Amino acid sequence: MTQTQEQASIRRVSSWGAPFAVFSIEQAVVIPDPEIRTESLDAAQRRALNAEIGHVLGILIPFEKNAPVTTYLGGPSPQPSSDAVEQPGSFDATALTPDIRFNERETARYMLALDQARHGFDTDPELVKVVLSRAERYVWEGMPPHRFLLSRIHTLYPDAYRYHAQTNEDASTVVAGATPELFLSKKGNTVRLQPLAGTVPASLSKAEAEKQLQTPKYLEEHRLLVDFMVSRLHTVSTDVTVAEEPSIVPANNVWHLGTPIRAELQDSVSIATLVDLLHPSPAVCGVDQARASAFISEVETARGYYGGLIGWLTPEGDGELYVALRGLEIDDCQHHVTLRAGGGITAASEPTTEFAETSDKLNAMRRVVGV
């Protein structure tokens, strides 16, 4: 990225609320009037460290490794709940209808990619897991549905990590969602993570979910993720602590396996360094990372912010990042809303089970859309 690109910035207030907002269980960061830039991750980290005290740098990181990030620098709102999204009026509840042709093509493409992945495990011994995703699109006529959809996310999923961010200058494109996954939380030299992998539907009771998630396929999928995170953390840490066994984590429409990890970092290890080491993780990409990433680029269109990261950085070097999942993208120019969901594919995967898993995950945002 050139210096000119890194310095280009805008200030644009959207008509539907704050351009950047992230709500966790304990904290909300809403930036009503940010300076928005597209820049490298390293430049974003430097700008966060040099920001005036009291300001934060919101950050939106794409799935694709080394892609430019979007940043939002400014003072956080003292009243985040009211500033995040303006309340929708009666004209905001625009009906959304499925784009049947697009959705049928996506289903066919996903099933073909799944077959190609299963063949790839036989021919490439270094490809052990790959996360495949599929999209689903809905269209509208009339009033843009931004306020309606964003308000629905907050109403339906108050216990999730909720987020939204405009991704272009005119605020016409917005990514939003309610993710279950904390990527990392850093305070001082201590970093906490809770990677999630292994998914069964929420229609199962907790006991039933636990029994199913303890089967070899799900345990192996989860182990690959935890081993990746821990091995890479050891390269920049003085100590890494991992829970002995994964726990069952409820997440909107599904149950996951999750393992808490805590690391004491060496001095001067930044969040940017951790992102470079750990992202995209096997939770959204696969094992081997390079092999899985190359495979995904062959069978999917560019993911952009799906499976990326969203969060904030502080002048003290602290911050939190969440995995941008269970989300949607609102495109005001094209008058469509695109949902996306995926799942980890291994040699033990069954196509019908994997397709059903993506449907279970899509259901979170289907409820928001109203279908």
Side-chain angles (χ1 to χ4, degrees), residues 8 13 22 32 34-35 39 141 153 164 173 176 220 225-226 257 268 311 332 336 347 352 365 367:
V13 178
V22 176
E35 177 188 354
E39 56 192 335
E141 295 182 3
I153 288 172
H164 73 248
T173 305
E220 173 69 4
L225 170 60
V226 173
L257 283 177
S268 302
D332 197 9
H336 64 225
T352 54
M365 288 301 112
R367 288 186 67 200

Side-chain angles (χ1 to χ4, degrees), residues 148-160 162 177-178 251-253 328 363-371:
F148 173 70
L149 295 178
L150 298 180
S151 296
R152 290 269 295 172
I153 288 172
H154 290 283
T155 299
L156 291 172
Y157 303 113
D159 296 327
R162 291 155 284 143
N252 301 337
N253 299 70
L328 50 79
N363 281 340
M365 288 301 112
R366 286 171 178 160
R367 288 186 67 200
V368 172
V369 170
V371 297

Side-chain angles (χ1 to χ4, degrees), residues 12 19 27 37 58 86 91 102 104 108 129 134 141 164 194-195 212 242 269 279-280 286 313 334 336 343 361:
R12 186 69 60 91
Q27 186 176 2
R37 291 189 185 183
E86 295 182 10
F91 290 105
F102 175 90
E104 288 179 344
K129 172 188 174 181
R134 65 184 179 98
E141 295 182 3
H164 73 248
Q194 190 179 31
Q212 191 165 326
V242 187
V269 175
H279 177 69
L313 315 179
Q334 300 296 324
H336 64 225
K361 292 174 177 176

